[in-house]
Amino acid sequence: MADAGAKAFVCGHPIAHSRSPKIHGFWLKQYGIDGSYEAVDVAPQDFGRFLAELPESGFRGGNVTIPHKETAFRLVMRLDEAAEAVGAVNTLWLENGVLHGANTDAQGFAANVDERAPGWTQAEVAVVLGAGGAARAVVHALKSRGLGDIRVVNRTLGRAVELADHFGAGVSAHSLNAAEELLGDTGLLVNTTSLGMHGNADLPIDPARLPGHAIVTDIVYVPLETPLLAVARARGLKTVDGLGMLLHQAVPGFERWFGVRPAVTAELRAMIVADLGVAK
Ligand code: NAP
């Protein structure tokens, strides 16, 4: 159990729209923990100093979000295996004055699909749309869970090639206009691009060629049912929305800072859904 008054943060720039204070605030209340979790706006030019001053700040640790995840990767002293693989850090903690960094997005992704589509690791082929930071976490999760044919599709082919080279055997790179041809034997389709998010264009991909047993998941969670998920559901495919990834990636940090492994419950999910103002 954490000391009374344990403090944690989420830092980013901007940070006002982060849901993390709501998630951790829910758990602090639920478990009756005398602690706090606050949002801190840190501009890029101040982030190095923010980290350097952490040992004297009174914080146990915290979350790091856009645009600091890659900088944190470069600056923390100890990295967990997922952070090493992904090249980004989203969770920090101090241990005997030493700053540690983890990446919990991969674990959050896998925990969400485990919960909503058990057996998903039977998929022999996965297509991952996007090659940004989130795609790296998803590809790491897929590789760690044993998927052997992971096809990364991206608008900028060079970025997909870079990602495939980074992860090596079993990961290949493809351009966006070749995507539909790849779907015929795909058991898992994951969108990690920002397309389909409220205010953005829809994905220019029709999942019609997917086999009937395919699972479709989107890590975008505003709206909860993205246009991709709506089309897949209308076809009778199993779909998984991205909110659970956000909730599950928060679990390891809370446990580090406050000493209790929190549960992702229907109540927590409902509270965040209400906060997002999106349809269930
Ligand atoms: P990122 O590094 O900026 O990557 C964005 C990706 O989207 C790139 O592959 C980019 O392709 C693609 N893209 C953007 N606009 C496009 C367009 N008009 N046409 C085709 N492709 C386009 O972002 P990220 O950090 O990976 O995040 C991606 C999404 O995942 C965001 O919506 C974020 O909110 C969400 N996310 C959700 C969770 C969760 O917990 N559920 C966690 C992390 C991220 P190019 O390389 O060609 O630019």
Side-chain angles (χ1 to χ4, degrees):
M1 180 61 79
D3 302 335
K7 287 181 7 168
F9 61 83
V10 56
C11 79
H13 185 71
I15 198 63
H17 296 297
S18 171
R19 262 78 197 194
S20 293
K22 291 236 156 44
I23 297 170
H24 291 280
F26 176 94
W27 283 330
L28 285 170
K29 195 164 165 219
Q30 184 186 358
Y31 295 105
I33 293 170
D34 174 20
S36 68
Y37 182 99
E38 64 188 85
V40 187
D41 194 317
V42 180
Q45 65 273 20
D46 299 327
F47 184 66
R49 196 178 59 213
F50 177 78
L51 288 192
E53 291 174 355
L54 267 184
E56 287 77 49
S57 66
F59 284 117
R60 279 291 173 94
N63 286 121
V64 180
T65 188
I66 294 166
H68 303 315
K69 289 182 177 187
E70 284 79 17
T71 316
F73 170 77
R74 289 194 296 275
L75 296 181
V76 301
M77 293 170 222
R78 297 267 169 80
L79 295 165
D80 80 344
E81 184 241 332
E84 290 274 15
V86 173
V89 158
N90 72 345
T91 303
L92 298 172
W93 69 96
L94 285 157
E95 226 173 282
N96 303 323
V98 175
L99 189 58
H100 290 241
N103 188 304
T104 65
D105 280 336
Q107 181 183 328
F109 171 81
N112 184 37
V113 199
D114 279 340
E115 185 181 294
R116 306 238 150 193
W120 65 275
T121 52
Q122 305 295 314
E124 282 169 14
V125 178
V127 168
V128 176
L129 306 173
R136 284 182 167 244
V138 167
V139 170
H140 177 61
L142 300 182
K143 271 204 95 165
S144 307
R145 296 296 293 272
L147 275 79
D149 183 351
I150 302 164
R151 302 167 182 174
V152 178
V153 169
N154 200 44
R155 172 180 62 177
T156 310
L157 180 59
R159 227 176 157 195
V161 169
E162 205 179 297
L163 192 154
D165 287 349
H166 174 79
F167 283 99
V171 184
S172 55
H174 307 266
S175 63
L176 198 52
N177 53 22
E180 286 176 20
E181 291 161 29
L182 300 172
L183 298 183
D185 58 352
T186 293
L188 177 70
L189 175 64
V190 188
N191 176 46
T192 77
T193 75
S194 43
L195 294 179
M197 185 159 76
H198 183 70
N200 287 1
D202 290 354
L203 267 170
I205 286 175
D206 182 350
R209 291 200 198 177
L210 283 171
H213 62 79
I215 298 163
V216 181
T217 181
D218 201 323
I219 73 163
V220 167
Y221 54 86
V222 183
L224 214 43
E225 184 174 68
T226 60
L228 173 69
L229 293 184
V231 172
R233 185 169 59 85
R235 269 207 53 212
L237 301 178
K238 176 80 188 158
T239 61
V240 179
D241 69 57
L243 181 55
M245 176 177 172
L246 177 75
L247 304 178
H248 283 285
Q249 63 76 31
V251 168
F254 189 91
E255 186 177 19
R256 287 261 177 217
W257 314 314
F258 302 115
V260 173
R261 188 160 184 89
V264 172
T265 58
E267 291 73 26
L268 172 63
R269 184 180 160 90
M271 192 268 291
I272 300 297
V273 167
D275 185 61
L276 293 171
V278 293
K280 289 182 186 113

